[in-house]
């Protein structure tokens, strides 16, 4: 079975030509390299919006894909926003109705990409909580380690709890 066979089968079955999507994954060696910046001012109490900027920095043409972002609010509510990435830089401005605690990038671990996320220490601490899904906690570990080595006692405590939880499962 070839990629072309799959493309034709998808076109026959669902009526959608997956050719461009298949080509971007099968005809190049790289995966998307995404630099994600979450405006730390958007996490300040009283702010009415947050801006999220995603830059594709891999060599070659940008990938066309969708990136889920899970926004976690004070009080335990969350919602998922989906950002279409179709160029070198994509932006999403989200209006806030409650104080924002964290934005988790690709919260379900759905895309194959090298993610580099810049967000506040408080947001990394929130992502490392044991109440979060394992994929989210796992992605927080390197940054929690960096923060702990830089002297953050809160990051050290969150990191230890996350690592102990990993050993018990």
């Amino acid at each position: 079975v070839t990629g072309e066979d799959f493309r034709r089968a998808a076109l026959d079955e669902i009526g959608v030509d997956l050719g461009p999507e298949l080509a971007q994954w099968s005809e190049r060696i790289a995966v998307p390299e995404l630099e994600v910046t979450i405006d730390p001012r958007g996490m300040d109490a009283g702010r009415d919006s947050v801006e999220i900027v995603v830059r594709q920095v891999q060599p070659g043409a940008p990938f066309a894909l969708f990136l889920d972002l899970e926004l976690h609010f004070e009080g335990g509510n969350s919602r998922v926003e989906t950002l279409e990435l179709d160029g070198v830089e994509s932006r999403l401005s989200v209006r806030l109705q409650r104080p924002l605690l964290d934005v988790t990038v690709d919260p379900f671990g759905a895309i194959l990409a090298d993610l580099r996320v810049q967000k506040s220490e408080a947001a990394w601490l929130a992502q490392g909580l044991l109440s979060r899904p394992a994929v989210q906690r796992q992605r927080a570990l390197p940054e929690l380690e960096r923060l702990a080595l830089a002297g953050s006692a809160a990051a050290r405590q969150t990191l230890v709890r996350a690592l102990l939880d990993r050993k018990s499962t």
Side-chain angles (χ1 to χ4, degrees):
V1 175
T2 67
E4 180 59 23
D5 294 332
F6 181 73
R7 185 192 71 76
R8 270 194 297 256
L11 183 59
D12 292 344
E13 187 63 30
I14 61 175
V16 176
D17 184 3
L18 297 176
E21 286 78 15
L22 290 172
Q24 74 178 355
W25 292 102
S26 64
E27 296 177 6
R28 54 197 294 191
I29 297 171
V31 297
E33 295 177 30
L34 307 178
E35 290 183 351
V36 182
T37 304
I38 298 144
D39 182 1
R41 294 170 298 174
M43 309 292 272
D44 294 342
R47 298 291 289 203
D48 62 350
S49 67
V50 64
E51 182 161 279
I52 301 160
V53 179
V54 180
R55 289 183 186 85
Q56 294 196 47
V57 297
Q58 74 278 346
F63 283 79
L65 55 121
F66 294 92
L67 179 64
D68 285 336
L69 304 158
E70 187 171 23
L71 287 76
H72 299 268
F73 299 95
E74 191 174 273
N77 294 336
S78 65
R79 78 172 190 252
V80 175
E81 296 280 341
T82 302
L83 177 60
E84 182 176 3
L85 306 180
D86 57 1
V88 172
E89 182 175 291
S90 302
R91 294 175 174 269
L92 177 66
S93 184
V94 179
R95 303 243 349 126
L96 303 176
Q97 295 166 342
R98 305 184 90 166
L100 183 65
L101 301 176
D102 180 29
V103 176
T104 304
V105 178
D106 187 29
F108 312 112
I111 65 168
L112 174 61
D114 177 8
L115 298 175
R116 297 178 214 135
V117 180
Q118 296 177 11
K119 60 184 179 179
S120 70
E121 178 176 341
W124 284 114
L125 293 171
Q127 186 171 329
L129 292 175
L130 296 180
S131 60
R132 292 290 189 86
V135 69
Q136 293 182 23
R137 291 193 325 264
Q138 176 69 29
R139 286 192 173 165
L141 293 178
E143 189 61 23
L144 290 171
E145 179 182 26
R146 187 191 70 74
L147 291 165
L149 290 172
S152 169
R156 188 171 27 263
Q157 289 174 341
T158 303
L159 181 62
V160 167
R161 279 194 299 264
L163 292 173
L164 287 174
D165 183 64
R166 278 179 51 185
K167 286 183 95 174
S168 68
T169 57

